[in-house]
Amino acid sequence: MQDAERKREKCYFKAPVFAVAPMIDWTDTFCRRFHRLLSRHALLFTEMVVADAIIHGKRDKLLDFDTSEHPVALQLGGSDPAKLSEAVRIANDWGYDEINLNVGCPSDRVQAGTFGACLMREPETVAACVKAMKQASSVPVTVKCRIGVDDQEPESVLPDFVDRMVDAGADALWIHARKAWLQGLSPKENREIPPLDYPLVYRMKERHPQFFIGINGGITSLEEASRHLEIMDGVMLGRAAYNNATLLTGVDHAIYGEPLAAPDWDGVRDAMMEHAARHIAEGGRLVHLTRHMVGLFQGFAGARRFRQILSADATRPGAGPEIVAAAFAAVDVAAGPVRAA
C-alpha cells in the first residue's frame, strides 16, 4: 500500500506529463507491461471500459492489472452519472492512479451507447458525470475530449466545455486537437482528416493557467512533444508510441530529465520472456504479449526479421518464451538505429 501511494504521489499533476493514449483493442495489460519496461515515468492508460460492463460483468477480467504498470489510468465510457459513480466505487479497490472519462471516441459502437465524442454536444451531462465520479473516487478524475463534433464551432464550444469541466471539479483535461465527425468518417479517418488546431488548445491553457490541460493528436516525436510542453502541462501520443515503441525509451530523459542512458534491451527481453512464461502457464498464448512488441526496433538492423519472428512464429501453437529471445537475437541492438547518410 505504501508503495502504491508513493507511486500515486509521483504520478500526476506535476507537469510535465507524457502519456500513452488509451486505445481500444491495443492498450491492454500486456501492452502496458511492455511499455512500462521502456519508460518508468510515462502515464499509461487502459482501453476504454464501459461502466455497465464493470457493474454487471467480470470485474477481475476488466480491471485487473500488474503493479508494474503504475502509474496507470482507467478510462471509463458512459453517460449516466449514477452508473459511472458505481463503476468508480468498484474500481477504487483496484488501485488505479486516475479515472478518466471518454468524451472523444467517435466510433459507431461508442455512439450507440451514447458516450464518447457525441457527449461534446451535452456538456451539462459530462459535468454531472464528472461531479458524480469525483464524489465516488479516491483518485483524480479527468476527461479526454475533442475540440468539437460535426458542425459545432470549436472556438465557441471548447471554451464553454473547458469552463464546465473546471467548475465540475475535474482534475485535468486531455484535449485531442481535432474535431470528430460522427457520420461519414471512420475512427481512423477521424484521427487523420479533420485538421489539427493546436493554437485553440493552447488558448484553453492560457484561459486556465492553474488547471492541468494536456494535448493529444498528430504528435509523432519527442521533439514535437517537448515543444508542446513549452505551453501545455501534458502531451499524449497514441499510435506513434505504439507503432514505434522505441520512442518510449527516450521519454524519461527527454520529458522527465532523467540521465541519458542506453536502453537495457536484455532486461526488456528477459522481463517479456518471464511475463510470457507466466501467462502461458496460466493457459494464455504467447501472441497475447508479442503482438504489442512488433513496432519495437524501427530503423535497427535486423528489425524486419524481428517483426517476422513475432508475427509468424509467435502465433504458432505451443510457441513459448524462446521466440522472444530469437526475435531479440535478430536485431543489432548495440549498433542502434541505422542512420541515413
Side-chain angles (χ1 to χ4, degrees):
M1 184 65 176
Q2 288 182 345
D3 187 51
E5 291 297 332
R6 180 181 60 79
K7 287 174 178 173
R8 285 198 191 100
E9 288 175 4
K10 291 174 60 179
C11 169
Y12 211 174
F13 307 122
K14 294 180 181 178
V17 171
F18 178 99
V20 178
M23 292 175 279
I24 294 175
D25 297 328
W26 290 20
T27 52
D28 60 20
T29 186
F30 304 114
C31 173
R32 299 191 303 268
R33 290 186 200 185
F34 171 53
H35 285 175
R36 180 58 67 220
L37 295 170
L38 306 177
S39 168
R40 293 194 308 119
H41 298 299
L43 175 65
L44 305 180
F45 279 76
T46 69
E47 305 169 85
M48 183 188 67
V49 184
V50 178
D52 272 329
I54 293 175
I55 295 169
H56 303 294
K58 297 180 179 179
R59 297 169 185 175
D60 288 351
K61 181 177 179 181
L62 293 168
L63 296 175
D64 276 356
F65 65 95
D66 191 85
T67 58
S68 67
E69 297 173 33
H70 286 292
V72 59
L74 169 66
Q75 187 180 69
L76 294 179
S79 57
D80 183 316
K83 290 181 178 180
L84 284 164
S85 175
E86 178 62 19
V88 169
R89 288 191 183 93
I90 293 167
N92 281 338
D93 291 339
W94 267 260
Y96 284 94
D97 299 286
E98 171 194 340
I99 308 293
N100 178 266
L101 179 62
N102 184 322
V103 190
C105 182
S107 75
D108 292 340
R109 181 172 59 173
V110 169
Q111 289 183 58
T114 320
F115 49 92
C118 64
L119 288 176
M120 292 298 297
R121 295 195 185 114
E122 302 180 33
E124 67 285 349
T125 298
V126 180
C129 290
V130 168
K131 289 178 181 178
M133 293 167 69
K134 282 285 293 182
Q135 291 175 354
S137 182
S138 59
V139 296
V141 171
T142 70
V143 176
K144 187 173 187 293
C145 69
R146 292 277 185 144
I147 62 174
V149 296
D150 296 339
D151 57 356
Q152 287 183 328
E153 177 48 62
E155 286 283 355
S156 59
V157 168
L158 188 61
D160 175 69
F161 185 87
V162 176
D163 290 349
R164 288 174 184 264
M165 296 307 101
V166 172
D167 291 344
D171 293 290
L173 187 64
W174 289 96
I175 304 175
H176 186 144
R178 281 190 176 97
K179 232 187 213 190
W181 288 95
L182 302 181
Q183 302 296 327
L185 293 182
S186 69
K188 180 178 185 297
E189 290 170 329
N190 262 302
R191 295 191 300 271
E192 299 170 350
I193 293 177
L196 289 158
D197 193 345
Y198 295 141
L200 175 59
V201 181
Y202 291 167
R203 291 195 290 277
M204 298 305 100
K205 180 58 192 173
E206 292 168 0
R207 281 169 56 91
H208 296 280
Q210 303 306 314
F211 180 60
F212 186 106
I213 302 180
I215 194 166
N216 172 227
I219 306 165
T220 61
S221 70
L222 293 180
E223 290 77 13
E224 291 177 54
S226 295
R227 288 196 293 272
H228 285 296
L229 287 171
E230 293 175 4
I231 298 170
M232 307 302 297
D233 300 307
V235 63
M236 178 182 282
L237 276 69
R239 269 72 184 171
Y242 186 95
N243 293 328
N244 180 20
T246 309
L247 176 151
L248 295 174
T249 65
V251 165
D252 293 348
H253 172 67
I255 307 300
Y256 294 95
E258 292 278 312
L260 183 62
D264 179 10
W265 294 124
D266 288 348
V268 173
R269 177 200 62 206
D270 293 347
M272 290 308 294
M273 291 178 68
E274 181 180 340
H275 288 326
R278 189 181 313 121
H279 180 59
I280 292 168
E282 294 170 352
R285 297 181 60 203
L286 179 65
V287 70
H288 295 157
L289 287 75
T290 56
R291 72 186 185 97
H292 301 300
M293 301 169 60
V294 175
L296 195 62
F297 295 127
Q298 280 193 26
F300 283 65
R304 182 179 180 183
R305 181 59 184 148
F306 176 85
R307 293 192 296 271
Q308 289 174 337
I309 293 171
L310 294 185
S311 298
D313 296 354
T315 63
R316 294 173 181 164
E322 70 279 358
I323 300 299
V324 175
F328 271 77
V331 182
D332 187 356
V333 295
V338 177
R339 303 290 183 184

